[in-house]
Amino acid sequence: MIPGTLCDETLFKHQKKDLSIIADCHIASTTSAASLQQVAKNILDKYSGDLSIMGLSYGGIIAFELLRQAPHRIKRLILLNTNYKEPSEQTRISQQRFVGMAYLEGVKGFTSTILIDAMLHPKNAKNKELREVVLNMALNIGVAGFFNQVKAQLGRPDSTKDLQNIKCPTLIITGREDVICPIKLHEEMAAAIPNSVLKIIEECGHLSTLEQPKLVSNTILNWWNKN
């Protein structure tokens, strides 16, 4: 299980419990290096043997790099709320601005005033407990970890050409109201990846595993048992 930007193991707290009946679940580090290639290598070096990979957002971007480095080791793939394309110029500008804000005022400021509202479905964004969870994850990652995450993902290649080469069973999940990684991206991935299934979660934004945990876990379990 590979978390997204400014997210730690809490992102998958529900799924780690729910999916323990079918898999030995581990949460991979996304802050170990400022290079996407090195982050993926570190994961491959830490966990031996065949792997089923579950990545959300930046975690999905790392998943594509894992497939480039060791396709023979990946037996199942779950992509959640992610993006297969190289970063746009607007993404580069926004991410670099956020890094600057983090160094100036810490991650709490822009996370609580900007990012949380962007990441969550409007209804979920009103949930004080959920907002606190998202903020605490960002604080746990910290400025240095955030810098590594941003630098690594801004250096990512376009994975378009890699999609057709994914041979393992693939489940693609996104929230209906994810504005960070819109449905269109996931529809394109589902059309390009040969053995893939797309599931859209209603009343859900970018952090599907926390916003609709039971729906996400049940979707994964149903798919897993068929693959």
Side-chain angles (χ1 to χ4, degrees):
M1 297 178 174
I2 313 177
T5 306
L6 286 175
C7 296
D8 61 12
E9 64 272 9
T10 307
L11 183 69
F12 296 117
K13 65 178 182 178
H14 302 287
Q15 289 69 43
K16 187 174 183 181
K17 177 183 177 181
D18 295 340
L19 304 183
S20 63
I21 61 174
I22 57 170
D24 184 12
C25 301
H26 301 272
I27 312 295
S29 170
T30 63
T31 61
S32 63
S35 157
L36 178 63
Q37 292 75 19
Q38 189 61 50
V39 170
K41 184 179 185 301
N42 292 344
I43 292 172
L44 291 169
D45 289 345
K46 182 172 182 178
Y47 303 104
S48 60
D50 293 341
L51 301 170
S52 294
I53 300 296
M54 175 177 172
L56 189 149
S57 196
Y58 175 43
I61 292 169
I62 295 172
F64 291 130
E65 181 60 30
L66 292 171
L67 283 160
R68 282 188 285 271
Q69 293 189 23
H72 58 286
R73 291 183 57 189
I74 313 303
K75 302 306 177 183
R76 289 184 182 89
L77 178 64
I78 304 171
L79 300 169
L80 302 105
N81 307 85
T82 195
N83 191 337
Y84 68 94
K85 297 182 178 181
E86 64 183 346
S88 66
E89 187 59 31
Q90 184 56 51
T91 296
R92 293 181 184 278
I93 293 171
S94 297
Q95 295 280 36
Q96 290 165 355
R97 179 167 66 91
F98 289 147
V99 168
M101 293 172 68
Y103 275 104
L104 286 173
E105 57 189 62
V107 298
K108 182 176 182 178
F110 73 89
T111 301
S112 57
T113 58
I114 300 174
L115 289 188
I116 290 179
D117 287 327
M119 288 190 286
L120 301 176
H121 180 282
K123 185 173 74 173
N124 298 326
K126 296 176 183 177
N127 184 321
K128 293 182 179 180
E129 182 179 350
L130 184 55
R131 293 183 73 92
E132 194 71 18
V133 168
V134 176
L135 178 58
N136 285 335
M137 286 196 299
L139 293 174
N140 289 340
I141 294 299
V143 175
F146 180 49
F147 174 82
N148 279 356
Q149 290 176 332
V150 170
K151 186 172 182 182
Q153 64 176 293
L154 288 183
R156 71 183 185 265
D158 189 324
S159 295
T160 301
K161 65 182 184 301
D162 301 314
L163 300 181
Q164 63 184 351
N165 298 322
I166 297 175
K167 305 303 181 186
C168 62
T170 301
L171 174 62
I172 303 166
I173 297 176
T174 191
R176 175 74 67 184
E177 289 80 19
D178 187 343
V179 297
I180 294 177
C181 296
I183 288 177
K184 185 173 186 293
L185 290 171
H186 300 81
E187 291 174 337
E188 292 168 352
M189 284 188 282
I193 299 173
N195 187 14
S196 65
V197 175
L198 171 63
K199 297 294 183 181
I200 298 172
I201 307 296
E202 303 296 333
E203 293 192 359
C204 184
H206 189 59
L207 300 183
S208 57
T209 53
L210 291 175
E211 295 185 68
Q212 297 287 0
K214 278 301 177 185
L215 277 175
V216 169
S217 291
N218 289 338
T219 297
I220 293 169
L221 285 168
N222 290 337
W223 170 82
W224 188 287
N225 290 330
K226 296 175 183 177
N227 292 279

